[in-house]
Each structure stands twice: as structure tokens, then as C-alpha cells.
């Protein structure tokens, strides 16, 4: 079956521009997560959605970062006024049963963001 | 708060020899532990997960991990390495809360040589 998909796969932007990254989770998965993978920081949690609400935004690095989820499905991560330190691979994951111990998360291929 | 420490950033083995990737965890309660693998330009894939049903966990592609509470370890092993095993491996702990968000180790890059 279809896995988690993300678009674009690569994004190059200029410092100061806004970018939108999209995630399509596995159909029926209620939980959606965004993570960031960068050279200096490794893999970090950004935000968690249960349905359309985001009960945990603790990993968002600044107010330039925001995310939304609509219809309990597609999610968009928006970075405003991008900075060079935002360059990273942004990973999306989904899972069917959040809060269940040993619950697996299924990851998308990621979006590689480069800020010049 | 929980955390994991991967003791080696890079491991190199010859094809056909055993693989050992080391991971220690820190958690104030019974942890949920996972190993994920990331091949170049590919997404993260679950190798195996500790479910408390058994301390020795078998995963895909011949990998195993043993949960040792006394040593707070969850090392990943494979009896015989294959060239296709070359990848980045992440030891991961879940917070076990309603979000089940994952905390990743820094990763171990496995190189397999002929």
C-alpha cells in the first residue's frame, strides 16, 4: 500500500523567503509527526498532530515555524523568513495508534531544504 | 526525560562478519525502544522494537537486539553482515506519553567492506 509521501523532495530557497512543505500520511493514521534532521542537531521532534489539532508543539524552534493539518490527513509545515540554519531534511511520520506503547511510526522520504 | 546514547558514530565490518551497534538508554520508567535504519536517500525504516514480551527481539533482515535492564542497553546485532546493510542506524526511545514522540540517538554509520 501507499506509504507516507512528502513534497517537494528538494527545495532550494533564498534567505528570507517563506516555504511550505507538504506531508500526506498513510490513510487512516490519526497521528502525524514532523521531525527535522540536520548535521549539527541530529533528528529532532518538531510537532505532533492528533487529528487536526496539535497538542504538542514543543519542538518548533521559533515562531517562524508553523504547521497545520486539515481533514485529519494532509499536513503543511510552513517556515517564514527562512534562515540558513533552517537548512535540513524535514521528515514526516504517521502512526495509527498514538499513545500506545511500542507504537511504530512510519516515515516519509523527507524534504531536503537548502536555504542560500 | 528519556534519552539514548549510541556509543559509536561509525562502525566498519567486513562482509560475512558479525555486526554490533551499541546503544544505551536512560528512562525513568519502562522504555519503548526501537532501532530504525536509513539507507542513503531513503526514508527511515523500522528494524525492530522492544515490546517487553521478550528481551531478545528479532527484526527484519536478520537483525536482533537484546534488552538488558541491568545494563540499560539495547544493542543491535547481526551474525553476518551483507553489503546491503551499509546504512545509518538509529536507536530510538519513545516517551510513552499520549504523543509517543520519538527521541533519536545520534546515529551509527555502518560500513561494510569486501
Amino acid at each position: 500500500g501507499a506509504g507516507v509521501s512528502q513534497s517537494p523532495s528538494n527545495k532550494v530557497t533564498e534567505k528570507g523567503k517563506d516555504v511550505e512543505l507538504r506531508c500526506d500520511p498513510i490513510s487512516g493514521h490519526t497521528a502525524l509527526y514532523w521531525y527535522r534532521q540536520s548535521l549539527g542537531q541530529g533528528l529532532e521532534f518538531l510537532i505532533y498532530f492528533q487529528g487536526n489539532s496539535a497538542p504538542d508543539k514543543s519542538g518548533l524552534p521559533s515562531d517562524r515555524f508553523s504547521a497545520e493539518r486539515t481533514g485529519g490527513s494532509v499536513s503543511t509545515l510552513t517556515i517564514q523568513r527562512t534562515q540558513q540554519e533552517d537548512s535540513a531534511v524535514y521528515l514526516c511520520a504517521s502512526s495509527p495508534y498514538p499513545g500506545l506503547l511500542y507504537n511504530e511510526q512510519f516515515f516519509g522520504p523527507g524534504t531536503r531544504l537548502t536555504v542560500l | 526525560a528519556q534519552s539514548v546514547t549510541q556509543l559509536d558514530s561509525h562502525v566498519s565490518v567486513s562482509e560475512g562478519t558479525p555486526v554490533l551497534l551499541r546503544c544505551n538508554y536512560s528512562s525513568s520508567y519502562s522504555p519503548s525502544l526501537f532501532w530504525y535504519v536509513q539507507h542513503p536517500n531513503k526514508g527511515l525504516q523500522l528494524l525492530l522494537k522492544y515490546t517487553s514480551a521478550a528481551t531478545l527481539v528479532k527484526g527484519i533482515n536478520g537483525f536482533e537486539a537484546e534488552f538488558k535492564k541491568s545494563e540499560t542497553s539495547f544493542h543491535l546485532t547481526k551474525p553476518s553482515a551483507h553489503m546491503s546493510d551499509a546504512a545509518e542506524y538509529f536507536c530510538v526511545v519513545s516517551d510513552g506519553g499520549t504523543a509517543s514522540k520519538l527521541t533519536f540517538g545520534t546515529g551509527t554509520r555502518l560500513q561494510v567492506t569486501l
Side-chain angles (χ1 to χ4, degrees), chain A residues 17 19 31 45 59 62 65-66 75 82-83 92 94 102 104-105 108 110 114:
Chain A
K17 302 276 187 169
V19 295
F45 166 81
S62 76
F65 288 71
S66 63
S75 175
T82 52
Q83 303 294 311
C92 177
S94 69
Y102 326 124
E104 177 184 353
Q105 293 182 20
T114 304

Side-chain angles (χ1 to χ4, degrees), chain A residues 30 48-55 67-75:
Chain A
T30 61
Y48 155 66
F49 285 92
Q50 175 56 34
N52 292 335
S53 63
E68 65 175 11
R69 189 179 184 194
T70 56
S73 181
V74 172
S75 175

Side-chain angles (χ1 to χ4, degrees), chain A residues 33 35 37 42-45 48 56 58 91 97-109 112, chain B residues 30-32 34 36 38 41-44 46 49-52 90 96-102 104-105:
Chain A
Y33 307 80
Y35 294 85
Q37 186 174 23
L43 259 154
E44 313 168 275
F45 166 81
Y48 155 66
D56 191 344
S58 61
L91 294 168
Y97 306 116
L100 183 68
L101 276 180
Y102 326 124
N103 187 38
E104 177 184 353
Q105 293 182 20
F106 296 81
F107 283 82
R112 181 175 297 278
Chain B
S30 182
S32 301
F34 309 80
Y36 277 83
Q38 187 176 36
N41 301 315
K42 297 285 182 65
L44 284 158
L46 180 70
K49 59 185 179 183
Y50 168 64
T51 65
S52 80
F90 293 93
T98 53
S100 299
K101 64 187 181 187
L102 303 180
F104 286 78

